[in-house]
Amino acid sequence: MNYKSILVVLVALLSLVSCDDNTATLGVDMMPSADLVTNKYKTYDVKTESYAVGDAVLARTKMSYLGRFTDPETGTTVKSDFLAQFHCDENFAFPNKITDDECTDFELRLFVDKFIGDSLATFKLSVYELDTPLDPNADYYTDINPEDYYDPSAEPLTTKWFTLSDRTIDDSERWGSNYYHNIKVSLPKELGTQIISDYRSNPEHFANTAEWINSDNPCSKGLYFKLEQGDGAMAYIYLVQMNIYFRYYDEEYKKDTLGLCELAATEEVVEATRFENTNLDKLLDDTGSTYLKCPAGIFTMATIPAEQINSQDTINSAKLTFTRYNDLVQSSFKLDIPKTILLVRLDDYLNGFFENYHVSDNQTSYITTFNSSTNTYTFNNVARLVTKMVQEQKSGTATENWNKVLLIPVETTYDSSNNLIKLNHDFSMSSARLVGGENDYVNLEVIYSSFNK
């Protein structure tokens, strides 16, 4: 055995242990005692207030909304209806041998993902044809004026009274596994026949969506689904489908059969939802708290006291917590709590945060989810944001809104690797009342370090 080699290894191991014991103070022992770093903890008061949205937020959403609902907690009311175009597949075609080239039934189906409120509440819906198509390259907001796209003096294509629980079908069908909750709206069969006739004469009008929208076919420019009357429920509609039924001769089976061609409102075309909020003033005037009110109602704005933080200090962490008040009213129809909220600088929001498809970067914008155990929304470390504000004030580049941020309810989309790839406004019926306002403050908890002088 090579005892000399073993001795060398033992000496090396002892050296490593010695280094490990002393790394905690490595560098500190070399510094003068007067220069030691001191960590400090301090809490700052953050002023908050409700921020009126004015019904105008970017209307990028997979859903359309139809109904009118009054919040039992706050007494505020949201009304919604929408405009929609229809996508034409590039391989769209009618069969060659349609009986008399005639439509036997022409209808719309509004498929409902879910709803809030009373399923037996009665509503009146009118469907109008658009005479001006929606621009697929434009941004549309929730205060869209439908009269810019349809003639309000024209007669509607159809009018329907409905409830969200369709009482025209029996319970066995309604609760069956093959039933998809929907609102059926019948259109004049003559319009469907016109579409079939145009296909025979001008098949190029059905080559793609652009050709379809620019044709003079019934409904081709889109439809306005106008809510005329009703209160008590709001439907979340995930698909609007236009169905053209006919009879035709099936060459394969050598017999007459029932046929169907579909055009649907999909993500390839424009759907623009309009929201109208009423009775929000009493919430905006509430000085004892602030609100998050969806859809397109109220955000909360916070003013970060960055001017109170010493610009010579290094901010290690900064935590901002917003506490939700419990509901005061018990109701089977109460609104949900916003699940996810975005914290973003006011200037960034006003300068097109959503329009430019930005997502949170954990530097000047952050997202968090509601914690039901603590009844809070917590942003655990906004140190980079606070540091940037301090630096802007010090350098003289601070804007008028330099220390203001908004809390905005959002919907998130992640890719297969769990990377956030899309943020949109949350249009669900939801609400939260937060601690804050003029009579109370939110806490900003800061841990920072500085060198002793």
Side-chain angles (χ1 to χ4, degrees), residues 173-193:
E173 181 180 352
R174 184 184 303 109
W175 303 114
S177 59
N178 294 324
Y179 177 72
Y180 294 92
H181 190 179
N182 69 90
I183 303 166
K184 178 183 176 182
V185 182
S186 296
L187 294 173
K189 291 186 291 185
E190 296 78 14
L191 300 181
T193 298

Side-chain angles (χ1 to χ4, degrees), residues 54-57 65 67-70 75-82 141-147 224 226-228 231 234 273-280 293-297 427 429:
D55 290 329
V57 300
Y65 299 83
R68 188 174 187 271
F69 183 80
T70 300
T76 58
T77 298
V78 180
K79 176 186 175 184
S80 181
D81 50 24
F82 65 97
Y141 292 79
T142 53
D143 63 347
I144 185 173
N145 182 6
E147 293 187 8
Y224 172 37
K226 182 180 181 181
L227 189 73
E228 302 277 14
D231 190 8
M234 180 68 70
T273 293
R274 178 181 68 150
F275 290 106
E276 293 180 356
N277 285 277
T278 55
N279 300 327
L280 292 181
K293 192 72 174 168
C294 298
F427 294 114
M429 297 289 294

